[in-house]
Amino acid sequence: MNWHKLTIPETFELLGSSEHGLRSTAAEEKLIEFGPNELQEGKKKSVLGILLAQFKDVMILILLAAAIISGIIGDLTDTIVILVIVLLNAIIGFFQEYRAEKAMQALKQMAVTQARVLRDGTSSWLPATSLVPGDVVLLEAGNALPADVRIVESVNLKIEEAALTGESHAIDKISERLELDDIPLGDKRNMAFKGTFVTYGRGTAVVVATGMQTELGRIAKMLQEDESLTPLQQRLAAFGKKLSVLVLLLCILFFVAGWLRGEDVVKMIMTSISLAVAAIPEALPAVITISLALAAKRMIRFNSLIRKLPAVETLGSVTYICTDKTGTLTKNKMHVEAILVDGKLYERNAIADVQQSNNVKLLLHAFALNNDTVTDDDNNIKGDSTEVALMEVAKDQHIAADAWPRLAEIAFDADRKLMTTFHSYNNAVISFTKGAPDILLQRCGNIDLSAMQQTVDEMAAKGHRILGFAYRMWDELPHDLSADLHETDLQFLGLTGIIDPPREEVFDAVKQCKTAGIVPVMITGDHPLTAKTIAERIGILNNEKDLVITGQQLAAMDDDSFLSKVERIKVYARVSPEQKLQIVKMLQQKGHYVAMTGDGVNDAPSLKRANIGIAMGITGTDVSKEAAHMILLDDNFSTIVKAVREGRRIYDNILKFIKYLMTTNSGELWTLLLGPMIGLPVALLPIHILWINLVSDGLPAISLSFEKAEKNVMDRPPRPPQQSVFANGRGLHMIWVGMLMAGIALSAQAWAINHGLHWQSIVFNVLCLSQMGHVLAIRSETQSFFSVGMFSNKPLIAAVALALLLQIAITYIPFLQPVFQTEALTLKEFLLVGAASSLVFIAVEIEKKISNSRRKKQRLPQVDM
């Protein structure tokens, strides 16, 4: 319903109300019809439902099956350890999802508890939940809006709507009807909305929507959409499905082959379970969770608070950052940037060097005197952001706010857009008038109107908010002050161009984004010209093909048209919450991973839908913070870039330990699979496999998360969203290094059997120590272990040393030998194990050297012969 287009009498007639409010009986009937004025939650997930959902993952189900089978055949150690891992992973996942459910609760808390309402012509305080369409509410400074309303009367009424529209300053409200049909929320100046606040003045309004029919209610509906999976969750889900099919086929193949050879059925079942345990990286879910938690803890140092752990790795895959302007790209503080006086345009800093003509002095006094700011005990200027900016200029020029005492004023109102103050001056009176240039210039007699209007247009084209100033001399203070009489025949003084300037560090951050293959996009509630100016200055707009569109233009596009242009649009201005959500969805439809920043209630649905939602820690509402995956503690865009760098680093390290764990499991798999095929006994018992997967795998894998970033981490494009964890040669590496490990282990087994040595303990130790050599070699994709620096990752060296000590302990300590089915090795056997294990480290270092040589050749320019 376009309530903003209706006159006040039409609005009352349609709602069955009047300026005296509803009758109590009519209000009761409407309450039954429309329901209470509160936000409704969608179908809530039960605590049990959230907990059970943690066990849906394919890899988790396979692990549970392996645990049950191990328990049935009497191997309780394996069962207990697997169940502990699965339970730990489920508990962490449960708490992450349980916290996400708080977003809707935070939104409900924005509801106002009491409202001052006219019913039966009498004013009284009523619970906001009992309001119905047609109720007349009384508004004054400090009130929160209890519902969506049409303004009936405005006496200098200003409402702060930043949480809902993104508009950076309070909006002057009017009561007159508006002509246009489809206008953005921020331009509906005769409307006010649930969840916003009155900052100045007073007024009367009639309720037009309550509960879920309000703008806040529409946002609540959007918040109930499902969140998208992170890149790693998608890749691991796909990986888990493939792995489960492969493991099942291998186990069946292995069991059938053994059965056909006449092997004992129970033994083959045991061996098949060992094979399944060897193939499944039990430690992977726990290792990823722990490494993400460690990264999240580190990121607090970068002023980034991670609310949902998968957000850490999502940062590394981000291709688009959709960011708010005010406070994130800009300082969130209005600043006088240009001053026009005596026909010349000066930068703010240059005004001190201007010869102090009479007009310059009067203009600076107008800044300070036609101004309602106050200075607190700490000497900070408080008040309207525009007036604060003007007072700072005056203060820089040592002009006091009480230089000439104020005698009277004609207050600002939204209709005439002017404010006039009267002051004692040289035994006479001077009045200063400030306001919108288009109104003020009409009342000045000492200017070329068309030339001055052209100057105003040129300043506005730079995104400045323009204020005009004029004065008039009086012999004495006029009686019965009237705007029509006493704001005429003014002497023009000058203009100011005011803007919320960009943060200094944002310029480099935007540049770094582009170098890293990330596209920054501005989405703001501000005016298109202002948005365009800031975007051009910081480098978001630097191409003729880049587009700037408004919410109104976006509403006129169909989905196909928008989809075709979405990658060229770099600035969105005056957009609605639905449109923010639409932008995220369209970019995702194009295959992008989207980071969305926001601070208002209007941002919450898009924050939740984005691949990573980033809320503002300083200016952000509770609703936006609960919906987000990450919170910026300093509201600074450059912090996002630092977080992306950290995200890329941790994702690289996650890939390293997936590579490490899968290579290890590949080695165990080939050892168990190929041994019997070449006539050797089954090399490892289930307890050996579990020990390798938990101790030899787990500690070094977690320590890999402490590796420093690769040198080119921000000079390469984001990983393609569809790229699997096996891309860039990782899958091939897992296979050939795993086969090398198996080949070395089986060779050692055969040699040990032929020489009557402790062959099972030798194979067990060779596999464990080969993995230690492997983890040291894969610390960097390109640099050798010695170039990276042996002690640049101390936790990893400590983990390797600990794993080595534990391996020695279970091999040589007598009371542990029966538990782990090991035997003490002789010195000769131990030296054999050490020599054989080092071959993997040497082979991987050679692989890196060959790969680096190939990359250098590919980069060399081709010369025609």
Side-chain angles (χ1 to χ4, degrees):
M1 184 69 190
N2 288 327
W3 295 102
H4 64 277
K5 287 189 69 180
L6 302 180
T7 63
I8 292 167
E10 288 171 342
T11 304
F12 278 130
E13 184 180 351
L14 203 58
L15 291 167
S17 183
S18 72
E19 60 187 13
H20 302 296
L22 291 170
R23 296 191 313 277
S24 295
T25 52
E28 288 169 8
E29 289 170 4
K30 286 196 172 196
L31 188 60
I32 295 169
E33 180 185 353
F34 292 101
N37 176 31
E38 60 186 11
L39 302 181
Q40 300 162 6
E41 294 188 55
K43 187 179 178 183
K44 284 189 71 174
K45 294 180 184 176
S46 68
V47 172
L48 182 62
I50 295 172
L51 183 61
L52 291 176
Q54 308 308 313
F55 297 95
K56 289 180 181 177
D57 186 75
V58 177
M59 287 177 65
I60 297 296
L61 292 174
I62 293 171
L63 283 175
L64 287 173
I68 291 166
I69 295 168
S70 296
I72 290 170
I73 63 174
D75 195 346
L76 291 176
T77 307
D78 289 8
T79 300
I80 292 167
V81 175
I82 291 173
L83 288 177
V84 167
I85 289 173
V86 169
L87 192 60
L88 175 67
N89 192 65
I91 289 169
I92 292 170
F94 167 79
F95 279 110
Q96 289 296 314
E97 192 167 344
Y98 184 71
R99 286 179 67 192
E101 288 289 301
K102 291 182 180 177
M104 189 65 204
Q105 295 169 21
L107 194 60
K108 287 187 76 173
Q109 286 169 4
M110 290 192 68
V112 188
T113 54
Q114 296 282 315
R116 194 170 165 219
V117 185
L118 280 179
R119 280 194 184 165
D120 302 317
T122 305
S123 159
S124 61
W125 289 93
L126 294 177
T129 53
S130 67
L131 289 183
V132 294
D135 266 325
V136 173
V137 293
L138 306 178
L139 304 172
E140 59 185 26
N143 288 167
L145 271 292
D148 285 5
V149 299
R150 167 73 163 83
I151 304 297
V152 174
E153 181 189 16
S154 170
V155 182
N156 300 327
L157 186 65
K158 289 187 178 186
I159 294 181
E160 171 63 68
E161 298 180 340
L164 200 61
T165 65
E167 189 71 56
S168 54
H169 55 271
I171 306 300
D172 297 304
K173 293 298 178 178
I174 60 174
S175 57
E176 290 76 15
R177 67 185 290 270
L178 302 174
E179 296 290 339
L180 296 174
D181 277 326
D182 297 317
I183 57 176
L185 218 59
D187 291 337
K188 292 181 179 178
R189 294 177 53 224
N190 59 2
M191 301 282 296
F193 306 99
K194 185 181 178 78
T196 60
F197 296 87
V198 180
T199 60
Y200 190 80
R202 59 185 174 82
T204 308
V206 59
V207 174
V208 296
T210 58
M212 296 301 283
Q213 302 307 310
T214 62
E215 293 296 330
L216 205 63
R218 290 164 64 196
I219 289 170
K221 287 177 189 172
M222 289 187 283
L223 265 177
Q224 291 161 11
E225 287 201 6
D226 292 334
E227 293 185 64
S228 54
L229 292 175
T230 71
L232 190 63
Q233 285 170 331
Q234 292 176 12
R235 289 163 192 161
L236 288 181
F239 167 64
K241 288 172 185 173
K242 291 173 185 174
L243 184 63
S244 61
V245 173
L246 178 64
V247 169
L248 188 62
L249 288 174
L250 285 173
C251 287
I252 293 171
L253 178 67
F254 188 76
F255 177 79
V256 171
W259 178 62
L260 291 174
R261 284 202 314 270
E263 297 277 1
D264 180 67
V265 173
V266 175
K267 181 185 175 184
M268 288 314 299
I269 290 172
M270 283 285 292
T271 310
S272 296
I273 291 170
S274 297
L275 195 66
V277 173
I280 300 167
E282 293 96 334
L284 186 58
V287 166
I288 288 176
T289 302
I290 293 166
S291 65
L292 291 176
L294 290 170
K297 186 178 178 182
R298 271 199 307 276
M299 288 177 73
I300 293 176
R301 292 182 301 182
F302 305 122
N303 290 316
S304 304
L305 179 64
I306 301 296
R307 287 195 64 256
K308 299 172 187 176
L309 286 185
V312 178
E313 60 87 11
T314 309
L315 281 162
S317 297
V318 162
T319 55
Y320 266 74
I321 298 177
C322 297
T323 175
D324 188 23
K325 176 185 73 69
T326 306
T328 310
L329 296 172
T330 64
K331 296 178 179 178
N332 196 20
K333 182 181 179 183
M334 301 306 283
H335 178 86
V336 175
E337 195 165 80
I339 299 173
L340 180 92
V341 62
D342 291 335
K344 294 181 181 179
L345 194 62
Y346 300 95
E347 288 184 9
R348 179 240 177 97
N349 296 335
I351 198 71
D353 302 324
V354 176
Q355 186 177 359
Q356 297 287 298
S357 67
N358 189 52
N359 277 349
V360 170
K361 292 175 183 175
L362 287 176
L363 180 61
L364 292 171
H365 276 83
F367 289 177
L369 302 177
N370 189 312
N371 196 307
D372 289 331
T373 57
V374 294
T375 302
D376 64 17
D377 295 337
D378 297 324
N379 211 30
N380 296 315
I381 304 170
K382 302 289 185 182
D384 177 82
S385 58
T386 300
E387 291 195 333
V388 169
L390 294 168
M391 182 57 78
E392 284 177 345
V393 178
K395 193 175 179 183
D396 288 347
Q397 302 304 310
H398 311 292
I399 295 172
D402 56 356
W404 303 335
R406 185 185 294 192
L407 304 175
E409 68 178 90
I410 305 174
F412 175 87
D413 71 51
D415 292 328
R416 71 182 212 288
K417 298 179 183 177
L418 296 175
M419 171 182 175
T420 300
T421 56
F422 294 80
H423 305 267
S424 296
Y425 174 68
N426 289 348
N427 298 321
V429 173
I430 187 170
S431 64
F432 290 115
T433 301
K434 78 174 178 195
D438 53 332
I439 306 293
L440 184 124
L441 293 173
Q442 301 284 344
R443 305 189 180 208
C444 295
N446 62 329
I447 55 165
D448 180 340
L449 195 59
S450 61
M452 190 56 65
Q453 190 58 55
Q454 186 177 344
T455 303
V456 170
D457 292 342
E458 288 171 2
M459 291 176 72
K462 295 178 181 177
H464 290 150
R465 186 181 178 199
I466 314 299
L467 271 182
F469 292 83
Y471 76 99
R472 183 174 172 182
M473 299 300 303
W474 307 85
D475 293 332
E476 59 183 22
L477 181 67
H479 298 289
D480 301 323
L481 292 176
S482 160
D484 291 336
L485 291 175
H486 303 116
E487 288 180 341
T488 56
D489 299 325
L490 304 177
Q491 297 297 303
F492 179 71
L493 274 175
L495 301 171
T496 58
I498 302 173
I499 200 166
D500 179 10
R503 292 174 179 261
E504 287 80 4
E505 61 272 24
V506 163
F507 298 91
D508 287 337
V510 169
K511 188 177 178 181
Q512 198 169 16
C513 268
K514 294 190 171 184
T515 304
I518 301 167
V519 180
V521 171
M522 180 193 291
I523 303 178
T524 179
D526 270 351
H527 192 279
L529 274 177
T530 306
K532 184 181 178 184
T533 299
I534 297 296
E536 285 175 340
R537 282 169 63 167
I538 63 178
I540 286 179
L541 281 175
N542 57 5
N543 191 311
E544 290 181 1
K545 293 181 181 178
D546 294 342
L547 300 178
V548 179
I549 72 165
T550 63
Q552 204 167 348
Q553 292 169 323
L554 184 55
M557 289 186 194
D558 58 32
D559 283 352
D560 291 338
S561 177
F562 182 30
L563 193 62
S564 67
K565 293 180 180 177
V566 69
E567 291 176 311
R568 291 171 51 208
I569 302 170
K570 300 298 165 57
V571 176
Y572 297 86
R574 288 279 201 265
V575 290
S576 68
E578 290 93 341
Q579 288 173 330
K580 288 189 176 188
L581 192 58
Q582 185 187 11
I583 293 163
V584 172
K585 287 180 177 178
M586 285 296 180
L587 286 170
Q588 289 173 335
Q589 199 171 324
K590 278 284 190 179
H592 293 289
Y593 276 96
V594 184
M596 167 69 79
T597 74
D599 55 5
V601 179
N602 61 327
D603 298 316
S606 50
L607 288 177
K608 187 178 180 187
R609 172 70 192 210
N611 298 96
I612 175 162
I614 305 172
M616 302 296 115
I618 299 172
T619 60
T621 58
D622 287 344
V623 181
S624 65
K625 290 174 186 175
E626 289 293 343
H629 305 83
M630 170 180 144
I631 298 172
L632 291 188
L633 300 179
D634 60 357
D635 291 11
N636 193 334
F637 180 81
S638 64
T639 301
I640 303 173
V641 181
K642 292 174 188 172
V644 167
R645 178 185 172 84
E646 180 66 11
R648 288 192 175 190
R649 183 187 76 84
I650 199 63
Y651 188 69
D652 282 354
N653 290 341
I654 286 173
L655 289 178
K656 285 172 190 172
F657 60 67
I658 290 175
K659 182 179 180 178
Y660 170 63
L661 291 173
M662 290 310 301
T663 304
T664 297
N665 287 22
S666 170
E668 298 163 34
L669 185 65
W670 290 119
T671 302
L672 287 171
L673 197 60
L674 297 177
M677 290 184 178
I678 60 174
L680 292 172
V682 176
L684 301 168
L685 298 174
I687 191 65
H688 297 152
I689 299 294
L690 208 61
W691 174 265
I692 292 171
N693 284 11
L694 293 182
V695 178
S696 300
D697 291 2
L699 287 173
I702 292 169
S703 302
L704 275 172
S705 65
F706 290 94
E707 280 299 328
K708 293 180 180 177
E710 300 275 353
K711 288 183 178 179
N712 66 337
V713 71
M714 288 300 280
D715 295 329
R716 66 185 190 218
R719 296 184 186 279
Q722 66 280 2
Q723 188 183 86
S724 80
V725 293
F726 302 109
N728 296 331
R730 278 184 294 275
L732 183 62
H733 176 97
M734 293 170 195
I735 294 169
W736 83 259
V737 176
M739 292 193 77
L740 177 63
M741 282 183 184
I744 293 167
L746 292 173
S747 298
Q749 182 184 7
W751 189 84
I753 289 172
N754 289 335
H755 289 79
L757 304 177
H758 301 115
W759 63 267
Q760 196 162 56
S761 292
I762 287 173
V763 173
F764 181 30
N765 278 280
V766 164
L767 277 173
C768 284
L769 299 186
S770 292
Q771 289 165 29
M772 297 305 101
H774 181 235
V775 77
L776 294 174
I778 64 165
R779 288 177 57 192
S780 172
E781 295 277 346
T782 55
Q783 293 178 278
S784 76
F785 170 76
F786 304 102
S787 300
V788 171
M790 185 179 294
F791 296 104
S792 61
N793 184 348
K794 291 184 178 68
L796 178 62
I797 301 302
V800 169
L802 180 61
L804 184 60
L805 288 172
L806 289 172
Q807 194 65 31
I808 291 170
I810 66 170
T811 304
Y812 288 100
I813 295 175
F815 75 86
L816 292 176
Q817 288 172 345
V819 177
F820 292 96
Q821 301 291 303
T822 56
E823 298 169 296
L825 300 178
T826 65
L827 179 61
K828 180 182 176 182
E829 289 171 331
F830 191 79
L831 291 174
L832 168 67
V833 168
S837 304
S838 63
L839 294 174
V840 172
F841 173 82
I842 294 166
V844 175
E845 286 293 325
I846 292 170
E847 178 200 29
K848 283 193 284 189
K849 202 164 185 65
I850 293 169
S851 297
N852 287 340
S853 297
R854 282 178 183 165
R855 275 192 285 267
K856 283 179 182 176
K857 284 181 181 178
Q858 287 171 357
R859 286 197 294 264
L860 288 173
Q862 298 296 313
V863 180
D864 295 329
M865 302 300 289

